[in-house]
Amino acid sequence: MKLILLGAPGAGKGTQATKLSQKLSIPHISTGDIFRNNIKNSTELGKKAKEYIDKGMLVPDELTISIVKDRLMQDDCKNGFILDGFPRTIPQAEYLEKALNEMGTDIDHVVNVSVADEEIIKRMSGRRVCTNCGATFHTVFNPTKKDGICDNCNASVIQRDDDKEETVISRLKTYHEQTEPLIGFYSKRGKLLTVIGREEIEETSKAVIKVLGV
Ligand code: ADP
Ligand code: AMP
């Protein structure tokens, strides 16, 4: 199955994509994770991306599209994939549509995880990520078993630089201006499924599984 998870930053896309990826045995592709790994390893891509990420802006389409292009060509994407955080602009969505059509395929479904801005702010302020494996937790809604330690790999968990309140506000603005129009883009193509993401993680997960019929 070829899926896109759409939604505001902090809506729970990564949380749901991790679970779905295990359930469906297809890779979870997060452009945010790819950028963060590049930043951690001080690559040229990481240096360029960091300038935008720190300001709550989107990384330019050209750069973002080229990393997705490389990733989708890898063997493990043959039987499907879950895109989390891509596309985030209409040109990115147009690129993806064209690239998949050229390969004789298309996206099956786009799941829009819909969450109000007030809830998003609560979620991002408490988000903690593992410095080693990238697993995501929340201080209140999904705490680690041991304080500050990842449940999966025992490395330390930290707050993301771009989860500071002032960056969160600009990321939400960016989302409304540049990413929200994708809801109409995929709705017109008959691909859009919507899940109200305000429920707890497990409830949201059940709702995602239900709309997808998996
Ligand atoms: P995204 O990938 O959309 O940016 P995440 O999956 O990282 O969002 O979730 C943002 C934060 O909210 C994380 O700290 C996560 O643990 C928490 N979270 C995710 N889904 C829910 C939910 N349904 N209820 C409460 N907290 C959630
Ligand atoms: P995320 O982990 O999905 O919240 O992404 C973190 C940051 O990476 C975003 O705020 C953007 O600056 C950048 N980013 C991730 N995906 C994209 C994308 N598809 N297009 C442009 N920028 C992106």
Side-chain angles (χ1 to χ4, degrees):
M1 190 179 273
K2 298 183 178 71
L3 286 180
I4 294 173
L5 290 189
L6 201 62
K13 302 180 298 296
T15 303
Q16 295 304 327
T18 304
K19 288 174 176 289
L20 267 183
S21 158
Q22 282 163 5
K23 187 175 170 65
L24 302 176
S25 303
I26 50 176
H28 166 196
I29 302 173
S30 154
T31 40
D33 282 349
I34 297 174
F35 289 136
R36 279 185 290 279
N37 280 332
N38 276 275
I39 293 173
K40 197 165 136 188
N41 297 324
S42 302
T43 66
E44 278 309 307
L45 170 68
K47 282 180 206 155
K48 279 189 209 154
K50 190 173 177 355
E51 286 174 33
Y52 299 92
I53 293 176
D54 284 352
K55 293 186 193 126
M57 292 163 69
L58 294 184
V59 176
D61 284 340
E62 213 181 70
L63 214 57
T64 308
I65 286 171
S66 79
I67 63 160
V68 172
K69 207 176 195 170
D70 289 347
R71 184 63 189 89
L72 291 182
M73 304 252 273
Q74 288 173 24
D75 258 8
D76 63 338
C77 292
K78 279 205 179 105
N79 296 325
F81 49 78
I82 305 168
L83 284 170
D84 155 20
F86 184 94
R88 255 178 161 104
T89 63
I90 297 278
Q92 290 180 14
E94 285 170 342
Y95 153 76
L96 183 66
E97 187 170 58
K98 190 164 163 270
L100 291 177
N101 288 350
E102 278 169 12
M103 292 185 223
T105 178
D106 202 357
I107 288 293
D108 296 303
H109 304 290
V110 178
V111 181
N112 179 36
V113 184
S114 165
V115 178
D117 284 7
E118 307 84 75
E119 181 68 22
I120 292 285
I121 292 174
K122 278 193 232 158
R123 288 191 187 177
M124 296 224 264
S125 62
R127 171 158 56 189
R128 296 294 181 269
V129 291
C130 175
T131 46
N132 177 48
C133 72
T136 302
F137 301 91
H138 191 283
T139 49
V140 178
F141 305 130
N142 182 24
T144 51
K145 293 196 180 85
K146 281 189 232 152
D147 204 22
I149 304 290
C150 176
D151 289 1
N152 297 342
C153 72
N154 285 324
S156 52
V157 299
I158 55 158
Q159 180 165 39
R160 271 167 53 173
D161 276 351
D162 61 344
D163 279 348
K164 282 180 299 204
E165 197 173 336
E166 63 273 23
T167 321
V168 167
I169 290 166
S170 46
R171 288 167 70 200
L172 269 175
K173 189 166 175 278
T174 304
Y175 165 75
H176 289 300
E177 288 171 2
Q178 301 192 54
T179 308
E180 214 167 25
L182 293 181
I183 295 176
F185 180 95
Y186 286 114
S187 167
K188 265 191 219 143
R189 285 158 175 76
K191 305 241 178 244
L192 195 76
L193 300 169
T194 299
V195 165
I196 305 299
R198 67 165 176 258
E199 304 297 336
E200 287 175 8
I201 294 174
E202 289 309 321
E203 289 306 310
T204 306
S205 196
K206 282 184 197 152
V208 171
I209 288 169
K210 194 170 166 201
V211 289
L212 288 172
V214 292

